[in-house]
Amino acid sequence: MRLGPATEEHAVDARSVSAKPRHLAAVSSVLAAMVLVVLNTAMANMALPTIAQSLQVTPALSIWIITANQAALLMALLPCAALGESLGYRRVFRWGVALFMFATLMCALAPTLSWLIAARLLQGLGGAAVMALAIALLRQVVPSQKLGAAIGWNALAVALSSAAGPAMGAAILSVADWPWLFAVLLPFGLWVMLAARALPAVDGTARKADLLSIALNAGTFASLVIAAGVITEYPALAVALLSISAIQLTQLVKRERQKEAPLIPLDLLRSNSFRISVTASVLCFAGQTAGLVALPFYLHHSLGHEVLMIGLYMIPWPLTVALIAPLAGRLSNRWSTAWFCSVGGICLSTGLTGAALLPLQENLMMLVPLTMLCGLGFGLFNVANNRNMFLSAPISRSGTAGGMQGTARLLGQTAGAVIMTLLFNLFPVDSAPQLALGAGALLNLFAALISTLQSRETYS
């Protein structure tokens, strides 16, 4: 039976008492889809040198394998969220998984770099539907008082797949060629498609898509990502692209301002709590990315360690996130999310500060508790902040809230990567990583301070 929009607000409680096997299949399909997208990204990032060598392209050109995917994600997150609200979350989610799997097959068959870049672009479009609608679908399946726990499960799945991705990629490359990095995901994706049939089939609002707004949105983020990628080599081009991005964003905001459900969620951003959560998320992910990118360079260039040791010292960070996320999810249902976000941001800031300032060359084992502190802080912050963001939006706008949450994350990650790139161009390679760690610490301190302003306005 399909549920109409009028009954949507009551759907959560009704489904929470549905048959347990179907309930578990619905939740597992969403989490498995997130694992699929994150694993794909982690393995592709790790295998970039191998792919570049196999396709006989320069490292600079191979970066577009990553850039194309990231640009597509940013371009499509908000449109996929809007389509989910219009056509139904389950339908768009399954379309996204199907497109992602088709693109994954094309990646596995890619004979040239241009083919692979095009396939990665399609992967990003499909992955955007998964990332934008995952929490919205969980919100339909679990009761509102357990949303924090559901977000904790999602964070656990992402953290574990992020940690396992490089190791899985290395294991596959030790026995097979790089196309198998994509081919091994196909059976997993087929299972996700079948399990997703257990998701609730809730009708959408049937709002028509505004193609011009979607084009302006895509142009805004495509220009932004490309500008970030060329800012060091072609600064004049980057400035021009940033100007084009700003012009398109201005036109998009003007076009969407009077709409009841705008593509850019201006209606949700009027909420102080939602706006603060989005701002804090951008700052936190920018700081975290700067730290995660800087640490391997610091360990290699400043401390002289090889790749294997660097990988081992990086593991405690994602593993601690995986351990703390479910607990943070349960506790955030009971305690203030503003408090959790502030404590998490301070812990992450403290860990990055310690990594930047302490004499690790004398005792590298000090890095282990510091990276664990970073993981603890990020786990606390991310789960609580996401819960606050979603509960600051009505259920009918869960898709758009998910799109905005994913957009904030990717904007922060892009900003963190740009900060790292600029520091490498402005300072010697021996000092730039420590400066990036300090910048990451400062950004997370700002995220913690801003989070103290969160209100208690929620929608159940």
Side-chain angles (χ1 to χ4, degrees):
M1 180 180 70
R2 297 181 68 85
L3 302 173
T7 61
E8 185 180 355
E9 297 291 338
H10 304 286
V12 174
D13 291 334
R15 279 186 289 275
S16 68
V17 294
S18 62
K20 191 170 184 179
R22 187 176 180 87
H23 171 89
L24 292 176
V27 172
S28 64
S29 69
V30 174
L31 299 182
M34 287 295 294
V35 169
L36 193 66
V37 173
V38 175
L39 266 182
N40 169 75
T41 299
M43 290 195 297
N45 290 353
M46 182 278 309
L48 212 56
T50 302
I51 296 173
Q53 183 177 9
S54 175
L55 296 178
Q56 297 181 342
V57 299
T58 64
L61 282 176
S62 71
I63 293 295
W64 285 100
I65 298 170
I66 306 302
T67 302
N69 187 261
Q70 187 177 45
L73 281 169
L74 269 172
M75 290 162 58
L77 275 166
L78 292 174
C80 283
L83 284 174
E85 291 183 357
S86 176
L87 304 176
Y89 296 146
R90 186 179 78 164
R91 179 183 299 177
V92 176
F93 178 82
R94 295 187 74 198
W95 287 353
V97 174
L99 177 59
F100 182 87
M101 296 317 301
F102 170 76
T104 300
L105 176 61
M106 292 300 100
C107 287
L109 298 175
T112 64
L113 178 66
S114 57
W115 178 312
L116 182 57
I117 289 173
R120 290 282 290 166
L121 189 72
L122 288 178
Q123 269 193 327
L125 297 178
V130 173
M131 295 177 70
L133 301 178
I135 305 294
L137 283 164
L138 290 176
R139 195 174 181 183
Q140 287 186 338
V141 175
V142 302
S144 58
Q145 64 269 24
K146 292 185 178 180
L147 181 62
I151 292 175
W153 304 334
N154 187 69
L156 170 64
V158 170
L160 286 177
S161 48
S162 296
M168 287 181 60
I172 292 169
L173 290 176
S174 68
V175 297
D177 294 331
W178 68 262
W180 283 98
L181 294 172
F182 301 101
V184 296
L185 299 176
L186 294 172
F188 189 29
L190 179 61
W191 178 85
V192 172
M193 284 292 295
L194 294 173
R197 297 172 63 187
L199 291 166
V202 179
D203 283 328
T205 60
R207 284 191 297 266
K208 291 184 178 180
D210 187 329
L211 296 182
L212 180 55
S213 289
I214 290 175
L216 287 170
N217 174 83
T220 297
F221 289 116
S223 301
L224 181 65
V225 172
I226 296 173
V230 302
I231 192 169
T232 56
E233 295 184 21
Y234 308 101
L237 176 60
V239 170
L241 287 169
L242 289 173
S243 300
I244 292 171
S245 178
I247 291 170
Q248 291 180 103
L249 179 60
T250 301
Q251 293 302 313
L252 178 60
V253 170
K254 287 181 179 179
R255 185 175 180 83
E256 295 289 301
R257 183 178 295 159
Q258 303 303 322
K259 292 184 179 180
E260 180 183 353
L263 183 69
I264 297 285
L266 302 173
D267 55 329
L268 299 182
L269 290 169
R270 293 188 189 103
S271 161
N272 183 62
S273 186
F274 188 87
R275 186 170 60 252
I276 288 172
S277 294
V278 169
T279 303
S281 183
V282 173
L283 291 170
C284 178
F285 275 100
Q288 187 220 26
T289 301
L292 282 173
V293 173
L295 270 177
F297 284 101
Y298 182 39
L299 289 169
H300 180 67
H301 290 287
S302 301
L303 303 182
H305 290 281
E306 298 300 324
V307 173
L308 179 59
M309 289 302 297
I310 292 171
L312 291 175
Y313 275 106
M314 292 297 292
I315 286 175
W317 188 323
L319 283 184
T320 306
V321 175
L323 290 172
I324 198 63
L327 177 62
R330 288 195 295 270
L331 294 178
S332 68
N333 290 322
R334 305 174 187 174
W335 294 349
S336 165
T337 53
W339 184 86
F340 263 99
C341 290
S342 299
V343 171
I346 290 171
C347 287
L348 184 46
S349 179
T350 303
L352 292 174
T353 301
L357 298 181
L358 292 178
L360 298 180
Q361 63 273 14
E362 298 176 7
N363 182 10
L364 190 57
M365 284 304 295
M366 288 191 296
L367 184 61
V368 174
L370 291 174
T371 53
M372 291 180 68
L373 185 61
C374 289
L376 170 67
F378 181 74
L380 290 174
F381 178 92
N382 194 43
V383 171
N385 194 63
N386 285 347
R387 181 183 184 275
N388 190 76
M389 194 182 303
F390 276 90
L391 289 184
S392 298
I395 292 178
S396 60
R397 295 286 279 159
S398 292
T400 298
M404 195 65 222
Q405 181 252 343
T407 300
R409 178 177 64 251
L410 285 169
L411 285 175
Q413 290 171 341
T414 302
V418 169
I419 289 170
M420 189 71 238
T421 302
L422 290 174
L423 288 173
F424 266 122
N425 280 275
L426 294 173
F427 297 94
V429 70
D430 290 337
S431 58
Q434 287 174 279
L435 292 172
L437 289 169
L442 192 60
L443 287 167
N444 277 284
L445 182 60
F446 286 152
L449 293 175
I450 288 174
S451 295
T452 62
L453 303 177
Q454 285 178 352
S455 69
R456 295 178 178 274
E457 175 188 0
T458 61
Y459 293 86
S460 48

